């Protein structure tokens, strides 16, 4: 079992990106040898950086897979395939929506939902892909904060396995490699820039491993995901020009009373969060202009069917966390 104390964090002031890249490329190449490996690409900063490290290390022997799990942002698979094609990386899209929604059916508890996503991702989907390809390794973008929050009991990150005593070789049939586990998000961004990733990827707002399932309070269904997906698109469009660390939309569980056409509209509530942070360990709510907030509220309540209320979170981290679940 790998403990947090076994991982030597590379702090931002100590990070030499060229040396880090050289070391990780060499380590990946040595681990995989002449074999093949599977790479889990979600399109986020962490997995994108790992994709480029793996691509530099073993080239076409890295099979890069994007899992269409039904809980990603609007147009995500097409955008990622197109972006990485320009970088010389072929991305294979695997449709696993049926498996993920089946595993999430009826679940409300946040930890049960995360565990369902973990098992579906690693055992059902990638277990199958690894068996078919005869790969012995899976590359993924675990960062230092993921491990820290999981070990501390703040929340279980779905990509934390060995650090919880899970033998991935025994449990899933392959070894997990985590090239950026010593870095926090800002360090990962610097490495991404040094690797030649475009700024709209390496500077992208953080996105959780459980995707939009982490932003649905209560049961995760295709219909509820579509609601938060539409709200997320609006929040992304309106806040893309800010210098905030991260922003997101959350769908609450209970319905609330609204009013349309002088009649009661018993609808849904979206919570918007926007954060100023450098390392995701602590954070402050961004002081957005009130006009921006009202624009977001007006757009969501008029463009997202069934939403009658939009709120803005003004609580610091801690005691809040950046993601709701």
């Amino acid at each position: 079992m790998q403990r947090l104390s076994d991982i030597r964090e590379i702090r931002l002031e100590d990070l030499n990106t060229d040396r880090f890249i050289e070391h990780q490329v060499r380590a990946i190449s040595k681990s995989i040898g002449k074999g093949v490996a599977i790479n889990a690409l979600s399109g986020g900063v962490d997995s994108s950086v790992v994709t480029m490290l793996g691509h530099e290390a073993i080239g076409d022997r890295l099979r890069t897979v994007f899992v269409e799990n039904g809980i990603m942002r609007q147009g995500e698979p097409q955008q990622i395939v197109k972006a990485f094609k320009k970088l010389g990386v072929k991305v294979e899209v695997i449709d696993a929506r049926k498996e993920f929604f089946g595993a999430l059916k009826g679940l409300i508890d946040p930890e049960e939902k995360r565990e369902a996503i973990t098992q579906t991702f690693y055992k059902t989907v990638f277990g199958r892909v690894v068996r078919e390809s005869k790969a012995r390794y899976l590359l993924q973008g675990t960062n230092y904060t993921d491990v820290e929050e999981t070990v501390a009991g703040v929340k279980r990150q779905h990509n934390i396995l060995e650090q919880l005593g899970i033998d991935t070789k025994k449990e899933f049939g392959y070894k997990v490699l985590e090239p950026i586990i010593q870095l926090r998000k800002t360090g990962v961004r610097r490495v991404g820039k040094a690797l030649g990733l475009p700024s709209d990827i390496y500077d992208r707002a953080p996105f959780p491993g459980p995707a939009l399932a982490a932003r649905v309070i209560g049961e995760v269904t295709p219909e509820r995901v579509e609601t938060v997906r539409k709200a997320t698109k609006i929040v992304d469009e309106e806040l893309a020009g800010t210098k905030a660390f991260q922003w997101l939309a959350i769908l609450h569980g209970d319905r609330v009373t609204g009013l349309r056409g002088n009649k009661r509209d018993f609808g849904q509530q979206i919570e918007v969060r926007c954060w100023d942070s450098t390392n995701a360990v602590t954070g402050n709510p961004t002081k957005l202009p009130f006009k921006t907030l009202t624009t977001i509220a007006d757009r969501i309540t008029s463009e997202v069917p069934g939403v009658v209320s939009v709120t803005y979170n003004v609580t610091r981290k801690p005691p809040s966390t950046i993601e709701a679940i």
Side-chain angles (χ1 to χ4, degrees), residues 59-307:
D60 292 341
R61 290 185 290 118
L62 181 70
R63 183 180 173 188
T64 297
V65 174
F66 180 99
V67 177
E68 169 54 288
N69 48 26
I71 51 179
M72 301 302 286
R73 287 169 287 198
Q74 188 169 314
E76 194 88 23
Q78 298 83 358
Q79 293 170 13
I80 297 308
V81 169
K82 183 178 179 181
F84 277 86
K85 184 178 180 180
K86 292 180 180 178
L87 295 167
V89 179
K90 180 182 177 182
V91 180
E92 176 185 351
V93 178
I94 293 180
D95 189 347
R97 288 174 288 187
K98 184 176 180 181
E99 288 96 330
F100 275 88
F101 282 118
L104 288 164
K105 186 176 177 61
L107 299 183
I108 295 175
D109 179 80
E111 294 305 311
E112 289 182 1
K113 290 192 289 186
R114 285 176 176 270
E115 180 62 21
I117 289 170
T118 296
Q119 291 298 321
T120 306
F121 189 84
Y122 290 103
K123 182 174 282 188
T124 306
V125 178
F126 275 106
R128 181 174 66 244
V129 173
V130 167
R131 284 193 301 273
E132 292 171 354
S133 66
K134 296 182 170 58
R136 294 185 298 127
Y137 295 95
L138 172 72
L139 272 70
Q140 69 172 22
T142 310
N143 68 41
Y144 191 84
T145 306
D146 291 336
V147 183
E148 187 177 56
E149 290 198 333
T150 299
V151 172
V154 176
K155 65 178 69 172
R156 161 74 188 277
Q157 301 291 351
H158 88 290
N159 57 354
I160 301 303
L161 303 164
E162 186 179 341
Q163 296 82 11
L164 293 177
I166 298 171
D167 184 338
T168 59
K169 183 67 177 176
K170 181 179 179 181
E171 189 79 13
F172 307 127
Y174 52 83
K175 175 73 174 174
V176 175
L177 300 181
E178 300 167 311
I180 60 168
I181 199 167
Q182 294 174 276
L183 303 178
R184 295 191 189 272
K185 186 70 70 177
T186 308
V188 179
R189 293 190 196 282
R190 286 195 183 178
V191 172
K193 184 177 182 179
L195 283 165
L197 284 169
S199 60
D200 59 351
I201 292 181
Y202 75 72
D203 226 9
R204 200 174 194 190
F207 191 63
L212 295 177
R215 297 173 181 177
V216 174
I217 298 175
E219 186 178 6
V220 180
T221 65
E223 296 76 20
R224 302 195 76 219
V225 170
E226 185 59 24
T227 295
V228 80
R229 181 182 288 123
K230 290 179 183 297
T232 297
K233 183 174 185 294
I234 293 169
V235 172
D236 283 345
E237 290 171 354
E238 295 297 333
L239 299 183
T242 71
K243 295 181 179 180
F245 177 79
Q246 187 173 355
W247 51 83
L248 56 143
I250 299 159
L251 176 62
H252 280 246
D254 289 339
R255 290 185 174 269
V256 297
T257 301
L259 185 68
R260 294 186 196 272
N262 296 322
K263 292 183 180 179
R264 183 172 105 155
D265 186 356
F266 203 45
Q268 296 175 302
Q269 178 169 293
I270 292 288
E271 175 189 334
V272 175
R273 296 186 178 189
C274 187
W275 295 95
D276 292 332
S277 180
T278 57
N279 55 17
V281 177
T282 60
N284 291 300
T286 306
K287 295 179 181 179
L288 296 173
F290 192 72
K291 183 178 179 181
T292 300
L293 293 173
T294 55
T295 298
I296 291 172
D298 289 343
R299 285 196 61 188
I300 290 176
T301 53
S302 62
E303 297 176 30
V304 183
V307 176

